[in-house]
Amino acid sequence: AQSVTQLGSHVSVSEGALVLLRCNYSSSVPPYLFWYVQYPNQGLQLLLKYTTGATLVKGINGFEAEFKKSETSFHLTKPSAHMSDAAEYFCAVSERGQGFSFIFGKGTRLLVKP
Amino acid sequence: GAVVSQHPSWVICKSGTSVKIECRSLDFQATTMFWYRQFPKQSLMLMATSNEGSKATYEQGVEKDKFLINHASLTLSTLTVTSAHPEDSSFYICSARDGGDSSYEQYFGPGTRLTVT
């Protein structure tokens, strides 16, 4: 069965430091992969997605993620954290064999220290 | 493109009353819509999947008589919480997909905060 694991419910970085949010998935076939950001009392905003092709995907707000099939990972990175990046981040997987139902990770709260 | 709206954005109702939440796809036809529930500091939990013109499919543990879903058109789905109780207070998010080449993707609404007093 599909599953998504986000390591670390909370990640704290200093402003200007590298952001690394981890996501691992289990799937019998290469899935579609997504990262979303959620600010308090708001819906989900798509940061980036992997469907096919280039494994390094660039998204909005300077974020990028790399699909590594051998590691079944899709970690999210940003070279330099900004205070406005403080939010909840969700990794999600969608798979054709599962009717494209979304499976979400439990989320990682990013804290940015001044 | 691919914008999904929800109305209302927040609602307060008294225990025992019913409340309806609307989810609209503004610039595409949504063959499938999804309703999620999110508790504080938790991930999204899928409640049900609805296809236009057919009955919704509810996830295990979700009471279909309590959470009524109607997908009456290709741009509108509604979730009605009947006889609401304080434990129904939550953040409800809908999403939609267009059934075309990007069927693997869902577009999310901004969410509705329901508080039952």
Side-chain angles (χ1 to χ4, degrees), chain A residues 32 34 36 38 41-44 46 49-51 88 90 94 99-102 104-107 109, chain B residues 34 36 38 41-46 49 91 93 97 102-111 113:
Chain A
Y32 300 96
F34 306 82
Y36 292 89
Q38 185 180 35
N41 292 311
Q42 295 187 27
L44 301 182
L46 179 66
K49 61 186 176 186
Y50 170 78
T51 55
E88 189 83 21
F90 292 99
S94 166
F100 295 121
S101 294
F102 267 38
F104 284 93
K106 292 188 175 182
R109 180 166 297 276
Chain B
F34 305 84
Y36 295 85
Q38 186 179 32
K41 302 185 187 303
Q42 293 190 27
S43 189
L44 280 72
M45 180 191 78
L46 179 65
T49 301
F91 194 54
I93 301 176
R97 70 178 185 216
S102 59
S103 290
Y104 54 82
E105 187 163 1
Q106 294 181 23
Y107 306 101
F108 289 85
R113 171 74 60 193

Side-chain angles (χ1 to χ4, degrees), chain B residues 18-21 35-37 39 45-50 55-59 61-70 77-92 114 116:
Chain B
S18 296
V19 61
K20 180 183 288 188
I21 302 170
W35 287 95
Y36 295 85
R37 183 173 182 176
F39 291 104
M45 180 191 78
L46 179 65
M47 299 175 66
T49 301
S50 73
K55 290 184 178 181
T57 301
Y58 291 81
E59 295 299 302
V62 178
E63 300 176 59
K64 61 180 181 180
D65 294 330
K66 181 167 188 61
F67 298 100
L68 301 180
I69 292 172
N70 183 20
S77 176
T78 60
L79 168 68
T80 301
V81 183
T82 62
S83 186
H85 290 282
E87 57 265 31
D88 298 324
S89 298
S90 192
F91 194 54
Y92 293 88
L114 170 62
V116 184

Side-chain angles (χ1 to χ4, degrees), chain A residues 32-82:
Chain A
Y32 300 96
L33 298 158
F34 306 82
W35 273 102
Y36 292 89
V37 61
Q38 185 180 35
Y39 296 97
N41 292 311
Q42 295 187 27
L44 301 182
Q45 180 181 7
L46 179 66
L47 281 175
L48 48 79
K49 61 186 176 186
Y50 170 78
T51 55
T52 61
T55 56
L56 181 62
V57 180
K58 294 186 183 299
I60 62 171
N61 302 339
F63 285 94
E64 62 182 39
E66 185 171 11
F67 168 58
K68 292 188 176 180
K69 183 179 178 180
S70 62
E71 299 178 7
T72 60
S73 69
F74 191 56
H75 301 332
L76 182 70
T77 61
K78 182 174 180 178
S80 177
H82 192 272

